[in-house]
Amino acid sequence: MAAEEFLRMFHDSHSGAGPLSQRLAEVRAEVGKTGTYRHTPAELAYGARVALRDSGWCTSGMPWRRLKVRDLRGVRRPAAVATECFEHLRQATNEGAIRPLVTVFAPDTPERPGPCIWNEQLVRYAGHRAADGSVTGDPRYAEFTDAMRALGYRSPAEPGRFDLLPLVVETADEGPKLFTVPREAVLEVPLTHPELDWFGELELRWHAVPVISNMRLSIGGVGYPAAPFNSWFVGAEIGTRALADEGAYAMAGAVATRLGLDTGSERTLWRDRATLELNRAVLHSFDAAEVTITDHHSEAQHRLAWLRSRQRPSGGRPAFRVDTGAVQRARFGGPAKFGQPTVPPGGRLAALRKRLDSV
């Protein structure tokens, strides 16, 4: 049913794709022999584009119909997956003119699951926990950083606030493997302020491209557990959620102090003023560096339009989804036992075969 629904969608949108009945017959025969089927390159590209459009991750101005889809379904070994993830970063960065991309790695099959990526984004900063419980860096990823140490990651001799976490790729055959993210593949923007000369003394910066890497791409009953994709940042994701938030870098207090604000009472709204200046600094700095970014007011209008026009999810509609296992890996470093297969052969793969058998 899921495969048929998707293929009807595809053929409705591609008049030159040939007879639908012939394609359905091919898929039925392939499922009968192998328990799954292989999308054509055109079907894969269309499915990935629709999934991203419908996910809500498309930022304003992103031309989803022209979204580049890198078809790497033949790549399943951890080292090769990591190498291509870093190439994704390079291509997406595009010297600051951020290029939306989706890279699709090997899918789940009845014989074995596809590779998966633990990190929720390809670029994240470590949270180095000291003996007294304090954290240098991003506290949101302190647990993940601890788990990486258990897998062999070594913190720098002098931990910094913006140390790149390693990329973790897991396969059923090799378990989780760590790979150092090349510094040259990560464009970072130093943050300054259009009016506050002292702001640069805070030595803040942020990476240029948000590549979501732990969401499962589902197209017509076939699951692709590793399919990293990116658009570009909304400024508030950095200024408000990463830098100002008390659970992250907690910079609102430091900025308020430099501004001379009364922080003795929340009723002075000092957090609001400090967060505003952090967001202004982010937008100013990205613009000055000629790195694509959008502001949250423009994005709010885009999201409202998306909510009015979005398609309701169904079994056959392409979609990016995140499950509880992916959340666990991204925050705390994986399943209870390192190396445990991400997709148990008797679990989601059995469900996949059942869905495909209904075609």
Side-chain angles (χ1 to χ4, degrees), residues 147-275:
M148 294 306 94
R149 289 197 188 96
L151 288 175
Y153 169 67
R154 293 293 175 263
S155 299
E158 296 185 10
R161 292 186 296 169
F162 301 100
D163 295 329
L164 299 178
L165 279 166
L167 185 69
V168 186
V169 181
E170 181 182 0
T171 63
D173 295 333
E174 300 184 47
K177 299 292 183 181
L178 270 63
F179 301 92
T180 300
V181 179
R183 271 284 174 187
E184 53 82 18
V186 181
L187 175 63
E188 293 179 299
V189 179
L191 301 186
T192 59
H193 193 280
E195 297 165 4
L196 305 174
D197 294 337
W198 51 261
F199 196 95
E201 298 172 10
L202 299 175
E203 297 183 329
L204 300 175
R205 62 177 187 265
W206 207 255
H207 59 98
V209 189
V211 184
I212 309 298
S213 50
N214 71 333
M215 295 188 75
R216 165 180 292 269
L217 174 60
S218 177
I219 303 176
V222 178
Y224 300 91
F229 65 90
N230 72 279
S231 55
W232 42 74
F233 271 119
V234 178
E237 293 177 22
I238 305 170
T240 300
R241 297 174 191 169
L243 297 179
D245 193 281
E246 288 298 312
Y249 279 85
M251 291 301 301
V255 171
T257 299
R258 295 296 293 263
L259 287 170
L261 303 180
D262 177 6
T263 60
S265 169
E266 296 293 344
R267 294 182 68 84
T268 65
L269 302 183
W270 62 268
R271 292 185 192 275
D272 302 71
R273 171 72 186 279
T275 301

Side-chain angles (χ1 to χ4, degrees), residues 20 99 124 142 156 235 250 254 257 279 317 325:
L20 172 62
R99 178 185 296 147
R124 275 298 187 232
T257 299
N279 280 301
R317 288 196 70 84

Side-chain angles (χ1 to χ4, degrees), residues 307-326:
L307 286 169
R308 287 192 291 266
S309 63
R310 70 179 175 136
Q311 298 290 327
R312 297 297 176 183
S314 66
R317 288 196 70 84
F320 279 101
R321 298 186 175 94
V322 62
D323 57 29
T324 54

